[in-house]
Amino acid sequence: MSFSHHVVVMATSSFVPSPGPAEHPARMGLPALALLLAAGLLHTQASPPARSFQLDYEHNCFRKDGVPFRYISGSIHYARVPRPAWRDRLLKMYMSGLSTVQVYIPWNYHEPLPGVYDFTGNRDVEAFLDLTAELGLLVILRPGPYICAEWEMGGLPAWLLWKPDIKLRTSNPAYLAAVDSWLHILLPKIKPRLYQQGGNIISVQVENEYGSYYACDYGYLQHLLGSFRALLGSEVLLFTTDSTRVEELRCGTLRGLYATVDFGPGSNVTEAFGAQRRVEPKGPLVNSEYYTGWLDYWGGAHASTSAAWVARGLENMLQLGANINMQVVSWQRAQPPGEWASPLAFIPQGPGQQGLYMFHGGTNFAYWSGADYKDQYKPVTTSYDYDAPLSEAGDPTEKLFAIRTVISKFQPLPAGPMPPATPKYAYGWVALRKYADVLDVLEVLCPSGPIQSQFPLTFEALKQVHGFVVYHTQLPWDVPDPATLGAPPHSICDRGYVMLQKEFQGVLERDRQTALHVTGRAGDTLDILLENMGRISFGANTSDFKGLLGNLSLNSRPLSNWLIYPLDIDTAVQQGWPHTALPKPSSVGRVGPAFYTGTFETPGIAWDTFVKFPGWSKGLLWINGFNLGRYWTRRGPQQTLFVPGSVLHVGHPNNITVLELEGAPPTPLLLFLDRPLYNRTLGCSTMATQ
């Protein structure tokens, strides 16, 4: 499986200051003026300097302002980094010797509902781009409309699925209408920031690894090309990224879009770039992705990659570039890091470019983590640490300094020290108390009341994008002996927490357990709290509908007459609930989905921290109304959630709200640490922490 993420290597052009006020031409002697003219340092109104970033097909390279150019770039996703930390992360990238940042724009992050746009706060992509320019970084922009990135639905808005027959990433009229509407909002914000317009965006990717998608719709790519050209102009460099497979390059490339490739471990580099040469006989060789680490899935092992191995590979590539016309290559990881193969091969066709994915991963706050489907549904963890050169909390790692040392051998590093790690604080133990079971506060979480339906409705039919839905019915007959409560294959999307008479019975889970045994009497209440764990972000199945996609049955007899409650938990929590609400009587000993609350005060500081959930099972955490994402202590590997200091209060209490879905410990406590715990998977023969 291929993903599009990267660090890119380009040489920087030297900077010569223009003449200051004391050197105005009118005050200069003729010899000095002639020298300036000869050196090209004096700009006149008659011949303004032309800013350009172009392909040189004759010399197989990029040219920036007419000069051969290569770059070292790294990926940072602004949506995964708290806005107060943007400058810190970008400055650390710059001080590492990288010249360019690769930026995804997730459509669903900015258009949460059709025609409703949000570019404020952490979603202010213009402010992020302006900050990159202020810090002297160039930008390779990847605005999609599909981005993958292990992000919820690959960046496509879930509301597209409100039309159940829509065909995503095709020429389907409903899909194209939504794309066009979005691009007409987004791209006018981008155009003034293009390099040719005086900005710092040197190239823009159209779609993402489209060749891996089943549709192979050239009309769709042609439509996107026309839209990008109409809205961005004719000068900007537009490109695509695909694997080296013949069929993927056939379906993912289009005349007018410069084709780049990515390729996997063990590949022969000459053959891999030969694949690019089959679709781009001339021009720079570009492998868009060089992985510094890898992502984690719930229930898997924590991915890690040797700093020495990554640095050695980078140095080999840079040496290869220096030896043969600054050739730089990279390769893609599709297997555990220990199984990667050397990328070195002799490539005589001209300079190439590479990108580091990720330079800084960040965090999938709230509900933004995506999922893969590899034989089964595989949701991505909240942490997107990626074992990247900058840690999830933005701290320089051994890997960063190893990479920085390698880069320093090939080009000067910026003057000045590397910004230090952000301070961390272990706030210690915090006691929580149970506030209420989920089923006892439905009037708060679903103030508009339930929807009646003969059979279950999907999240999309309910216009519910993220989070949770409660499906409520009653047993239609007595069940004195254990009966099978079951669902059709692939119809639990993604986890269903089953309660009978408000007593927790167990979990139904996508591609895992799809049946439970229950007993009861006619009229007993049956409730299923259905959780969306993130929509698939890569491959053919991006139409990932959520909820109960089929009807539940009892001993194969369908259940009917449902009351369905779409829950809006985040709005309630952001408004201060349940801390501002009156105490609720609760069943202290009852397990199953419930809310827990507590408070803590900081000792006069608001530093980053990590919260551990000893004895807890699975759920979500909010602090001061900010959704920090999912924890899943029982499945791992991630055992802590990152808490940015920017969400904490100084001088008054910090409100904690936990939604525990299966069962809290008898004494509900949280532990705030000054370091993360990423690598502990319960149920494995060996367990490690780091």
Side-chain angles (χ1 to χ4, degrees):
M1 175 176 183
S2 75
F3 294 93
S4 44
H5 317 297
H6 46 290
V7 174
V8 184
V9 182
M10 307 175 111
T12 57
S13 57
S14 59
F15 172 75
V16 181
S18 57
E23 301 164 320
H24 192 280
R27 301 188 182 98
M28 293 181 184
L30 187 58
L33 183 59
L35 285 172
L36 280 174
L37 287 170
L41 297 178
L42 184 64
H43 305 323
T44 67
Q45 289 184 337
S47 57
R51 290 173 61 90
S52 62
F53 189 82
Q54 299 170 319
L55 296 161
D56 183 339
Y57 288 102
E58 182 179 353
H59 298 95
N60 299 321
C61 68
F62 290 117
R63 286 187 178 270
K64 178 173 171 283
D65 300 335
V67 178
F69 186 78
R70 70 169 181 172
Y71 53 82
I72 302 177
S73 82
S75 289
I76 293 180
H77 301 159
Y78 63 92
R80 287 178 162 130
V81 181
R83 180 168 179 166
W86 286 352
R87 178 180 294 273
D88 172 79
R89 309 306 195 256
L90 290 170
L91 184 58
K92 287 170 179 169
M93 170 182 277
Y94 176 81
M95 294 304 297
S96 297
L98 281 69
S99 64
T100 309
V101 57
Q102 298 196 18
V103 180
Y104 277 132
I105 298 181
W107 177 7
N108 54 9
Y109 196 57
H110 296 284
E111 191 176 0
L113 296 171
V116 178
Y117 303 100
D118 189 349
F119 292 95
T120 63
N122 223 88
R123 292 167 168 81
D124 191 344
V125 63
E126 292 176 279
F128 181 81
L129 293 173
D130 292 345
L131 183 57
T132 66
E134 177 188 332
L135 295 175
L137 290 163
L138 298 171
V139 169
I140 296 172
L141 197 69
R142 311 179 82 175
Y146 164 83
I147 63 168
C148 182
E150 294 83 62
W151 186 262
E152 154 79 10
M153 203 165 148
L156 297 177
W159 50 259
L160 291 170
L161 301 179
W162 293 359
K163 297 181 178 179
D165 58 347
I166 195 170
K167 291 181 172 55
L168 303 176
R169 302 175 71 192
T170 71
S171 298
N172 175 271
Y175 176 69
L176 286 186
V179 168
D180 288 345
S181 177
W182 163 238
L183 293 180
H184 276 79
I185 295 295
L186 174 65
L187 295 187
K189 300 177 184 294
I190 302 306
K191 185 173 183 180
R193 294 171 171 82
L194 297 176
Y195 188 77
Q196 294 83 353
Q197 302 288 327
N200 65 327
I201 299 174
I202 57 174
S203 60
V204 177
Q205 182 174 317
V206 176
E207 247 280 356
N208 186 46
E209 294 177 331
Y210 187 66
S212 67
Y213 195 58
Y214 76 94
C216 197
D217 186 340
Y218 295 115
Y220 168 53
L221 290 181
Q222 188 68 53
H223 182 93
L224 289 181
L225 172 58
S227 296
F228 276 68
R229 283 284 174 229
L231 294 167
L232 295 180
S234 60
E235 294 183 344
V236 61
L237 174 60
L238 302 178
F239 71 99
T240 61
T241 298
D242 285 285
S243 83
T244 60
R245 296 174 182 173
V246 172
E247 65 275 16
E248 294 194 14
L249 285 168
R250 179 178 63 84
C251 290
T253 60
L254 188 74
R255 184 182 298 274
L257 297 170
Y258 190 71
T260 74
V261 295
D262 50 45
F263 47 87
S267 297
N268 179 289
V269 176
T270 303
E271 292 178 0
F273 277 126
Q276 183 187 359
R277 280 289 174 248
R278 284 193 291 273
V279 292
E280 293 289 359
K282 296 290 184 179
L285 298 171
V286 181
N287 182 343
S288 292
E289 303 168 5
Y290 173 63
Y291 295 99
T292 61
W294 201 241
L295 65 142
D296 289 345
Y297 303 103
W298 291 116
H302 175 57
S304 62
T305 310
S306 160
W309 195 93
V310 172
R312 183 169 63 250
L314 179 62
E315 183 165 6
N316 288 340
M317 290 187 287
L318 289 172
Q319 286 175 339
L320 182 61
N323 291 335
I324 54 166
N325 194 20
M326 300 198 340
Q327 173 65 47
V328 183
V329 298
S330 65
W331 66 101
Q332 168 208 344
R333 177 186 167 221
Q335 299 179 27
E339 301 176 24
W340 291 9
S342 170
L344 295 183
F346 184 75
I347 308 293
Q349 300 99 326
Q353 319 296 322
Q354 80 176 24
L356 297 178
Y357 189 94
M358 295 290 298
F359 183 79
H360 171 53
T363 307
N364 293 312
F365 294 115
Y367 309 106
W368 290 115
S369 56
D372 290 340
Y373 199 95
K374 300 176 182 177
D375 300 322
Q376 65 177 7
Y377 175 75
K378 299 181 66 173
V380 175
T381 59
T382 300
S383 172
Y384 200 67
D385 176 82
Y386 216 84
D387 195 33
L390 276 185
S391 73
E392 179 180 13
D395 297 337
T397 66
E398 176 191 359
K399 189 176 293 182
L400 180 142
F401 288 108
I403 288 172
R404 190 172 188 257
T405 297
V406 169
I407 293 173
S408 72
K409 298 178 181 180
F410 296 87
Q411 65 184 49
L413 295 174
M418 172 66 65
T422 57
K424 311 294 187 299
Y425 196 83
Y427 297 100
W429 293 95
V430 177
L432 273 59
R433 67 175 182 86
K434 185 173 181 180
Y435 173 76
D437 295 307
V438 168
L439 296 182
D440 291 334
V441 289
L442 293 181
E443 74 282 357
V444 175
L445 305 179
C446 184
S448 60
I451 297 166
Q452 296 186 9
S453 178
Q454 184 74 2
F455 300 109
L457 301 174
T458 65
F459 275 47
E460 292 70 28
L462 298 164
K463 295 182 167 48
Q464 176 86 350
V465 175
H466 303 295
F468 300 85
V469 168
V470 170
Y471 296 84
H472 170 90
T473 189
Q474 295 179 341
L475 297 186
W477 55 81
D478 289 341
V479 187
D481 300 316
T484 300
L485 177 69
H490 313 298
S491 63
I492 302 292
C493 293
D494 298 301
R495 283 173 63 86
Y497 305 90
V498 179
M499 282 77 69
L500 191 61
Q501 289 291 90
K502 295 189 176 182
E503 294 293 334
F504 185 57
Q505 304 296 305
V507 180
L508 302 175
E509 184 172 1
R510 181 175 186 170
D511 297 332
R512 292 177 181 255
Q513 181 168 338
T514 58
L516 294 171
H517 290 99
V518 299
T519 60
R521 296 183 176 183
D524 283 357
T525 58
L526 175 67
D527 294 274
I528 300 93
L529 175 66
L530 218 299
E531 179 184 13
N532 168 5
M533 281 291 294
R535 290 179 178 83
I536 292 171
S537 51
F538 181 84
N541 191 21
T542 46
S543 297
D544 190 13
F545 293 88
K546 296 300 185 183
L548 289 179
L549 309 192
N551 204 11
L552 292 185
S553 61
L554 198 59
N555 277 349
S556 301
R557 296 170 62 182
L559 298 172
S560 59
N561 299 319
W562 294 89
L563 294 178
I564 306 173
Y565 297 80
L567 304 188
D568 188 2
I569 300 173
D570 287 81
T571 295
V573 174
Q574 288 163 9
Q575 292 174 351
W577 182 89
H579 294 268
T580 57
L582 295 174
K584 297 277 292 188
S586 63
S587 301
V588 176
R590 181 183 290 167
V591 297
F595 289 96
Y596 294 78
T597 60
T599 63
F600 74 101
E601 296 199 31
T602 66
I605 55 174
W607 289 358
D608 294 349
T609 186
F610 301 88
V611 60
K612 189 172 185 290
F613 301 81
W616 299 73
S617 302
K618 184 184 190 302
L620 287 97
L621 169 69
W622 293 260
I623 294 182
N624 298 326
F626 184 84
N627 189 333
L628 291 156
R630 305 176 178 99
Y631 66 89
W632 202 345
T633 308
R634 282 189 176 172
R635 190 160 291 185
Q638 181 179 357
Q639 295 294 305
T640 55
L641 290 182
F642 173 55
V643 182
S646 55
V647 310
L648 300 179
H649 296 156
V650 175
H652 56 98
N654 292 277
N655 290 333
I656 299 174
T657 303
V658 172
L659 170 58
E660 166 59 45
L661 295 167
E662 297 182 30
T667 303
L669 298 169
L670 300 183
L671 178 59
F672 287 84
L673 305 171
D674 57 6
R675 61 188 178 92
L677 298 171
Y678 287 136
N679 195 17
R680 184 165 183 259
T681 303
L682 302 183
C684 295
S685 57
T686 60
M687 296 186 296
T689 59
Q690 74 171 36

